[in-house]
Amino acid sequence: MEQLKQFTADFSSAMWGLPLLVLLIGGGLYLLIRSRFATFRLIGHAVQVLRGRYDDPNDPGQISHFQALTTALSSTIGMGNIAGVAVAISIGGPGAVFWMWVSAVVGMSTKFFTSTLAIMFRGKDSNGELQGGPMYFIMEGLGKSWKPLAIMFSVCGLVGALPVFNVNQLTQAINDILLKPNGVEVGFASNLIIGLVLVSITAVVILGGIGRISKTAAKLVPSMVLLYFVSVMIILVVNIEEVPKYFAMIFTDAFAANNFKGDAFFGGVVGGLILLGIKRGAFSNEAGIGTAPLAHGAAKTDEPVREGLVAMLGPAIDTLIVCTLTALAILVTGVWETTANNGVSLTASAFGKAIPGFGKYLLLVCIAVFSISSLFSFSYYGSKCLSFLIGADKKHYYNYFYIASIILGATTTLDMMINLIDGVFALMAIPTMLSTIILAPKVIKELAAYKARLKTNKL
C-alpha cells in the first residue's frame, strides 16, 4: 500500500511537472500571439455579451452566456484560490503572485480558443441533443481518426471530475476552524455527518441536470465572490499602510526570488519561482485542461466567438481577482513570515489576525460556498464524459458514483486517491491543448469574420 501511495504521488508530481506547464503556457502563448492579442481588445464587448445584450432564447443550446460562465467559474473558484495561493506564497513569497498573473493572462487566450471551438464544433450525443466540449470538437473538428484522443479526454475526465479533493479539504477546514476550537470531538462520525450533509445538498442540485446546476451557480458564484471581496477589503483596510509595500513586492520579488524555498530547476531560484507561480495559476483557473468548454459548449448561441469571449473572462475573475485577494490578505497580515501554517490554515491565520473573533468563521463560509459550488459543476463534467463513452441514456449512473465518492472524501484521508485524481486531471490537458493548437487557424478565421460583422453592425 505504501508503494502504491508513493507511485500515485510520483504520478501526480510528474503530470503537473514542467512538460505539462510548457504545453499549457507555451501553447497558450502561441494562441495569444497567433490571435495578435485581438481578444483583449474585445473585453468591453465580452462584458456586453455577458450582461445578456446579445442573448436570443431561440439560439441552439441549453443555458445563457452568464450561466455558462458561472457554471465554469463554480468549478475553478475553489480551494485552489485559497489553499493553492497560500502554498505558493509560503514557498515563493510575494513574487509567486506575479507569475500566477502571467498564467492568468495566457489562460484567458487559451479559454477563448477552447470555448470558441466548443461552440464551433458541437456534436450530438446518443439522444440527439447538442453537446460541446473537447471530446466533441476533437471528433467534429479533426475527424473520427482522432477519436482515441477524445476517448482519452473522457476517460480521464471520469476520474478527474471526482470531488474527493474539495470534499476532503472542506471537511478539514470545518474540523480545524469550527469543530476543534469549540471542543467538538472530531472523528469518523463527525466526518460522516459532514459527508451526508454535502451529499444531500449536492444530490438535490446535480440530479436536476445542467439547467438546475447553471441556475444554482448563477446565484452562488456572484454572491460568493462578493462576500470574499468584502472580507478581504476589511483585511486590507485594517492593514492599509502595508498594502503599497506588498503590492510593489509582487513585482520586485518576481525576479529576485529572495524568499523562494522550493526546489529550483535549470539551476536557478528564479526559474523555480516562475514554475511555482505558473503551476498554481494553471491549477487554479484550469485554462487548457478542458473543463470550461464542457460548460460553455452548452451555451445558447450560434456565434462561437461570442462564447469564447465570455469564457475568456473566467481566468481574469478566478486568478487576477480572487487569487490576488487571497495573496494580499496573506501578505499584508504578515502571517506568511510569522507562522509555520500552510495551505488553507495559512489563509485562516490571516483572517483570524486581521478580524479577531469571527474572521476565521467568515473564511469558513467562503470556503464552504466555494467548495460546494464546485461539486455541482464537476458532476456535470463527469456525466458528460460518461455520456460520450457509453451513451446519454446511461450518464445518470455517474451521479450515483459521484455522490458516493463525496462520503469517501469526507471520511478518509485518501492521499492516494487525491494524487490519482490530480494526475488524470492534468492528463486531460494533452488532448485539449493538442487539438486546440491544430484547430487554431479555424478559430482565427472565425474571429476575423465575427469582427467584420461586429464592425458593420450585422450581429
Side-chain angles (χ1 to χ4, degrees):
M1 184 59 71
E2 286 301 318
Q3 287 180 330
L4 201 56
K5 283 183 179 179
Q6 187 59 48
F7 172 78
T8 54
D10 292 341
F11 168 66
S12 175
S13 179
M15 290 301 99
W16 279 102
L18 187 58
L20 178 70
L21 295 177
V22 168
L23 179 63
L24 288 173
I25 302 302
L29 279 172
Y30 163 76
L31 297 173
L32 186 61
I33 295 168
R34 188 77 172 76
S35 66
R36 298 179 183 177
F37 301 85
T39 51
F40 293 100
R41 295 195 292 272
L42 291 170
I43 286 181
H45 177 65
V47 173
Q48 290 180 333
V49 174
L50 182 64
R51 293 175 61 185
R53 179 173 173 180
Y54 297 91
D55 283 359
D56 184 347
N58 297 318
D59 279 344
Q62 299 160 281
I63 56 180
S64 70
H65 293 292
F66 181 74
Q67 289 173 334
L69 179 63
T70 51
T71 300
L73 281 173
S74 69
S75 68
T76 62
I77 297 180
M79 294 308 295
N81 301 81
I82 296 174
V85 175
V87 169
I89 291 176
S90 63
I91 296 175
V97 180
F98 176 84
W99 297 109
M100 291 183 71
W101 290 346
V102 171
S103 170
V105 171
V106 174
M108 288 174 70
S109 179
T110 304
K111 280 264 176 97
F112 167 76
F113 275 83
T114 55
S115 297
T116 299
L117 287 170
I119 300 294
M120 278 181 74
F121 297 107
R122 283 197 275 207
K124 290 185 177 179
D125 60 23
S126 58
N127 285 344
E129 192 170 350
L130 210 58
Q131 300 286 356
M135 64 283 241
Y136 290 100
F137 67 64
I138 288 171
M139 289 290 291
E140 301 297 322
L142 297 178
K144 293 184 178 179
S145 60
W146 292 80
K147 189 173 183 178
L149 215 56
I151 292 174
M152 175 187 174
F153 174 86
S154 299
V155 170
C156 290
L158 293 176
V159 182
L162 290 177
V164 176
F165 175 75
N166 266 324
V167 170
N168 185 269
Q169 290 295 293
L170 175 57
T171 303
Q172 191 64 44
I174 292 172
N175 288 338
D176 292 346
I177 298 173
L178 181 64
L179 302 184
K180 289 179 183 177
N182 290 288
V184 178
E185 186 177 346
V186 172
F188 178 81
S190 63
N191 291 344
L192 181 60
I193 292 171
I194 293 171
L196 290 173
V197 170
L198 292 176
V199 163
S200 302
I201 296 170
T202 306
V204 169
V205 176
I206 69 174
L207 296 180
I210 184 59
R212 190 179 297 169
I213 291 171
S214 63
K215 287 176 183 176
T216 306
K219 293 175 182 176
L220 276 179
V221 171
S223 58
M224 73 179 178
V225 172
L226 180 61
L227 174 63
Y228 197 60
F229 179 81
V230 171
S231 304
V232 176
M233 282 300 110
I234 294 172
I235 295 175
L236 297 184
V237 169
V238 171
N239 298 275
I240 191 65
E241 69 282 354
E242 299 290 334
V243 173
K245 169 189 169 184
Y246 283 107
F247 194 78
M249 282 179 66
I250 290 174
F251 294 91
T252 57
D253 283 19
F255 300 94
N258 296 327
N259 301 290
F260 184 68
K261 304 169 188 173
D263 295 327
F265 74 98
F266 297 154
V269 290
V270 175
L273 180 60
I274 294 170
L275 178 62
L276 170 72
I278 288 176
K279 176 180 178 179
R280 288 300 168 187
F283 193 80
S284 171
N285 59 54
E286 296 170 20
I289 304 299
T291 51
L294 291 170
H296 288 286
K300 278 182 173 291
T301 184
D302 56 1
E303 290 283 1
V305 169
R306 193 175 286 166
E307 191 57 34
L309 291 171
V310 169
M312 181 182 69
L313 299 174
I317 297 169
D318 176 276
T319 307
L320 296 181
I321 296 178
V322 181
C323 286
T324 302
L325 290 174
T326 302
L328 288 174
I330 292 170
L331 291 172
V332 301
T333 54
V335 295
W336 64 288
E337 293 180 303
T338 59
T339 176
N341 289 339
N342 202 344
V344 69
S345 299
L346 182 62
T347 312
S349 298
F351 273 69
K353 182 177 180 180
I355 315 173
F358 67 93
K360 290 186 178 182
Y361 299 111
L362 198 58
L363 177 65
L364 182 59
V365 172
C366 295
I367 291 172
V369 178
F370 283 176
S371 297
I372 291 171
S373 66
S374 69
L375 300 183
F376 304 152
S377 2
F378 275 115
S379 69
Y380 171 65
Y381 298 158
S383 63
K384 203 163 178 177
C385 289
L386 188 65
S387 172
F388 178 81
L389 291 170
I390 63 173
D393 58 326
K394 301 178 184 67
K395 68 178 180 181
H396 61 282
Y397 290 124
Y398 185 81
N399 286 335
Y400 306 135
F401 178 57
Y402 186 89
I403 288 169
S405 73
I406 293 177
I407 297 293
L408 201 63
T411 55
T412 59
T413 54
L414 285 179
D415 289 341
M416 184 172 66
M417 188 65 178
I418 289 170
N419 283 328
L420 176 64
I421 290 171
D422 281 348
V424 296
F425 194 63
L427 277 175
M428 294 164 68
I430 297 174
T432 301
M433 288 303 296
L434 286 178
S435 56
T436 300
I437 290 169
I438 295 170
L439 291 168
K442 296 186 178 182
V443 176
I444 296 297
K445 185 178 179 180
E446 184 68 25
L447 175 60
Y450 182 83
K451 286 170 65 180
R453 292 195 298 276
L454 184 63
K455 192 173 183 179
T456 54
N457 296 315
K458 291 183 178 179
L459 291 176

